[in-house]
């Protein structure tokens, strides 16, 4: 079904853009931006579905616009939650680097 393919494609694009092993080798602000944007896409997908579903139902058409939400959103919800975790780590790294100053950055190479 089309909706399942859309969900799959969104999840694949996001998982392809965020390499957990490499993301923190990037400048921290770049990592924060990528993670935040990825999380926004994942959550916007479900919100867009729910908004469209509500519009269709309010239009008074006989057909309900209902798909298996678990199949559509389980993976993207999970990924959005992991993005939130990664975002917390990235923000903590940014804050720690700001607190520790250039001497520690020079010692760690970051």
């Amino acid at each position: 079904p089309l909706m399942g393919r859309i969900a799959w494609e969104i999840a694949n694009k996001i998982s392809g853009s965020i390499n957990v092993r490499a993301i923190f080798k990037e400048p921290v602000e770049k990592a924060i931006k990528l993670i935040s944007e990825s999380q926004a896409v994942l959550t916007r997908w479900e919100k867009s579905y729910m908004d469209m579903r509500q519009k269709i139902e309010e239009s008074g058409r006989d057909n309900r616009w209902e798909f298996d939400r678990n199949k559509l959103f389980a993976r993207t919800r999970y990924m959005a939650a992991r993005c939130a975790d990664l975002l917390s780590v990235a923000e903590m790294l940014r804050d720690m680097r700001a607190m520790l100053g250039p001497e520690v950055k020079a010692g760690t190479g970051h």
Side-chain angles (χ1 to χ4, degrees):
L2 177 62
M3 298 305 280
R5 284 187 287 203
I6 292 170
W8 183 257
E9 190 62 31
I10 290 169
N12 283 343
K13 289 285 185 185
I14 299 298
S15 64
S17 70
I18 296 181
N19 179 340
V20 177
R21 295 176 193 229
I23 190 110
F24 295 113
K25 293 179 181 173
E26 298 286 338
V28 71
E29 291 302 327
K30 184 177 177 182
I32 288 172
K33 184 176 188 274
L34 176 62
I35 295 165
S36 296
E37 289 173 352
S38 297
Q39 184 181 24
V41 168
L42 292 163
T43 55
R44 215 174 356 223
W45 151 242
E46 185 169 358
K47 182 176 178 353
S48 295
Y49 169 88
M50 297 306 288
D51 290 348
M52 182 56 68
R53 179 177 172 244
Q54 183 176 357
K55 286 178 186 175
I56 289 171
E57 289 180 3
E58 288 173 356
S59 74
R61 292 180 17 191
D62 293 337
N63 296 336
R64 285 184 50 90
W65 202 62
E66 185 65 46
F67 298 93
D68 184 343
R69 283 188 246 170
N70 189 46
K71 286 183 181 176
L72 291 181
F73 304 119
R75 185 174 178 206
T76 54
R77 285 177 185 155
Y78 174 80
M79 291 175 69
R82 297 304 63 85
C83 283
D85 295 340
L86 287 172
L87 187 58
S88 293
V89 171
E91 289 170 342
M92 188 182 335
L93 282 172
R94 178 196 59 204
D95 296 345
M96 292 295 289
R97 289 177 181 162
M99 277 191 323
L100 297 174
E103 298 83 27
V104 175
K105 288 181 200 174
T108 63
H110 294 286

